[in-house]
């Protein structure tokens, strides 16, 4: 079999205007960092390979750490997600890797480190990141339709984990110590129809809001009112996420997007498939 045909892209994220991280099916438990050459825009250089799971550790390690050998094959990475947070006078990239067994791993990279590629060699994925409170409904057994994304660039980034097809964990990232990370569940949402969530998109005009669709072509909006409570440090129970059913279409939804208008408004745009298998916008 042709290796180029059997190798497919699983996911990728841009870390800077010239650096990106990819996961492919040939090495599904590793992330590969590439840099675009300044002299030739159409050529790239491989910078570093990061193992996620097998050689990942609970905390940061030295660049000259001992090599480890294991016969256990780590589970595959199914998705990457990126958010940023302000730390002192710099911007820190937080790269999440979701694995097929539900484990979440995290790697930090300082935005300034892209000016010196040797600094990137010291970074490692740590984890798996523990979700608290430790309840059975925080982690499920079915990750075939899982999705992870981040909503805001606050001091405590908001992480949304969709798992078990129709259940949503809305969490904040806690970093009490340099070597410790936790995801604390603020709100847990069971979708009213219990149907598989298929498409998710973040509202670019409101970082507290996102939209999703399910396999029955229902469209929902979800707005996190409790984010403002965290920012203001109000000492009262968190407000629940505002879940609204917007509409339901008669055709299967193939793609969901937002179109921004000149007056700072926006439209939800959809691509659907008709009964004669034609696409319709």
């Amino acid at each position: 079999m042709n290796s180029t045909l059997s190798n497919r892209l699983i996911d990728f994220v841009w870390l800077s205007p010239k650096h990106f991280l990819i996961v492919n099916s040939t090495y599904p438990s590793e992330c590969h960092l590439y840099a675009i050459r300044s002299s030739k825009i159409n050529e790239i250089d491989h910078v570093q390979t990061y193992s996620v799971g097998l050689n990942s550790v609970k905390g940061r390690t030295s660049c000259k750490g001992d090599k480890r050998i294991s016969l256990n094959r780590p589970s595959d990475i199914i998705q990457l997600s990126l958010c940023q947070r302000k730390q002192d006078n710099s911007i820190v990239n937080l790269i999440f890797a979701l694995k097929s067994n539900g484990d979440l791993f995290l790697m930090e990279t300082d935005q300034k480190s892209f000016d010196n590629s040797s600094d990137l060699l010291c970074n490692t994925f740590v984890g798996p990141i523990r979700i608290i409170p430790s309840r059975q409904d925080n982690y499920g057994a079915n990750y075939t339709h899982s999705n992870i994304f981040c909503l805001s660039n606050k001091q405590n980034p908001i992480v949304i984990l969709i798992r078990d097809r129709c259940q949503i964990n809305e969490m904040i990232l806690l970093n009490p110590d340099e070597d410790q990370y936790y995801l604390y569940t603020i709100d847990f949402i069971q979708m009213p129809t219990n149907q598989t969530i298929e498409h998710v998109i973040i509202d670019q005009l409101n970082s507290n809001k996102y939209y999703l669709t399910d396999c029955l072509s229902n469209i929902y909006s979800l707005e996190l009112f409790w984010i403002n409570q965290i920012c203001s440090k109000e000492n009262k129970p968190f407000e629940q996420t505002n879940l609204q059913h917007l509409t339901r279409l008669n055709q299967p939804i193939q793609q969901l997007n937002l179109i921004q208008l000149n007056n700072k408004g926006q439209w939800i745009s959809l691509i659907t498939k008709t009964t004669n298998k034609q696409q319709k916008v």
Side-chain angles (χ1 to χ4, degrees):
M1 180 181 292
N2 190 329
S3 60
T4 59
L5 295 179
S6 61
N7 183 19
R8 63 180 180 84
L9 178 68
I10 295 176
D11 206 355
F12 80 98
V13 291
W14 284 99
L15 304 182
S16 79
K18 294 184 179 180
H19 295 80
F20 60 93
L21 199 67
I22 71 168
V23 181
N24 60 50
S25 58
T26 303
Y27 304 102
S29 60
E30 296 177 344
C31 293
H32 304 274
L33 178 65
Y34 289 88
I36 299 175
R37 292 184 181 179
S38 301
S39 56
K40 297 182 179 180
I41 195 77
N42 60 340
E43 294 187 10
I44 60 175
D45 292 319
H46 178 261
V47 179
Q48 177 69 316
T49 295
Y50 305 101
S51 178
V52 183
L54 185 59
N55 294 323
S56 298
V57 294
K58 295 294 183 181
R60 293 189 176 89
T61 58
S62 169
C63 302
K64 300 180 180 180
D66 297 333
K67 293 184 178 179
R68 303 177 182 181
I69 299 176
S70 174
L71 298 179
N72 297 323
R73 183 180 182 277
S75 56
D76 295 345
I77 300 168
I78 60 176
Q79 189 182 356
L80 300 175
S81 187
L82 172 71
C83 68
Q84 295 179 325
R85 70 175 177 188
K86 294 182 180 180
Q87 185 169 303
D88 299 328
N89 295 322
S90 63
I91 301 295
V92 175
N93 290 322
L94 301 173
I95 307 158
F96 291 90
L98 175 63
K99 310 208 76 179
S100 58
N101 63 353
D103 285 343
L104 277 169
F105 290 80
L106 172 64
M107 180 172 71
E108 282 194 14
T109 60
D110 194 307
Q111 197 70 19
K112 296 178 181 178
S113 64
F114 295 109
D115 297 331
N116 184 0
S117 296
S118 62
D119 293 340
L120 297 170
L121 305 180
C122 298
N123 296 324
T124 58
F125 276 91
V126 299
I129 306 301
R130 182 184 174 190
I131 293 181
I132 55 177
S134 299
R135 301 180 301 175
Q136 183 64 29
D137 62 3
N138 273 348
Y139 265 99
N142 188 340
Y143 293 92
T144 56
H145 290 80
S146 296
N147 195 350
I148 181 175
F149 58 95
C150 304
L151 280 187
S152 63
N153 301 334
K154 308 294 184 181
Q155 184 64 33
N156 298 110
I158 309 300
V159 179
I160 310 296
L161 173 64
I162 298 174
R163 51 87 174 172
D164 282 348
R165 298 176 180 266
C166 59
Q167 297 177 348
I168 304 173
N169 279 70
E170 297 178 340
M171 306 171 288
I172 59 171
L173 179 68
L174 303 178
N175 185 198
D177 189 73
E178 184 179 5
D179 297 333
Q180 289 183 315
Y181 299 94
Y182 299 98
L183 285 168
Y184 185 84
T185 300
I186 300 294
D187 204 353
F188 174 80
I189 300 170
Q190 177 78 38
M191 296 304 293
T193 60
N194 290 328
Q195 300 298 318
T196 300
I197 296 170
E198 294 197 336
H199 305 282
V200 180
I201 189 168
I202 300 172
D203 191 327
Q204 299 299 324
L205 301 181
N206 182 357
S207 61
N208 299 354
K209 193 173 186 178
Y210 59 101
Y211 302 87
L212 57 82
T213 67
D214 63 18
C215 60
L216 294 181
S217 297
N218 290 294
I219 305 174
Y220 298 91
S221 69
L222 294 91
E223 186 170 5
L224 285 64
F225 292 144
W226 50 264
I227 291 183
N228 295 328
Q229 292 179 263
I230 292 177
C231 297
S232 61
K233 299 181 180 180
E234 296 180 13
N235 187 20
K236 64 180 182 179
F238 289 119
E239 296 183 53
Q240 289 186 333
T241 296
N242 182 27
L243 171 64
Q244 287 188 328
H245 180 258
L246 300 181
T247 188
R248 179 179 177 179
L249 303 184
N250 295 324
Q251 300 87 20
I253 298 174
Q254 293 190 312
Q255 189 171 336
L256 173 69
N257 211 331
L258 291 173
I259 300 176
Q260 295 187 15
L261 306 177
N262 293 333
N263 62 358
K264 297 184 179 180
Q266 58 189 356
W267 289 89
I268 295 178
S269 62
L270 305 162
I271 296 179
T272 61
K273 179 177 286 189
T274 61
T275 53
N276 57 1
K277 296 185 179 180
Q278 292 182 344
Q279 290 186 338
K280 183 178 180 181
V281 179

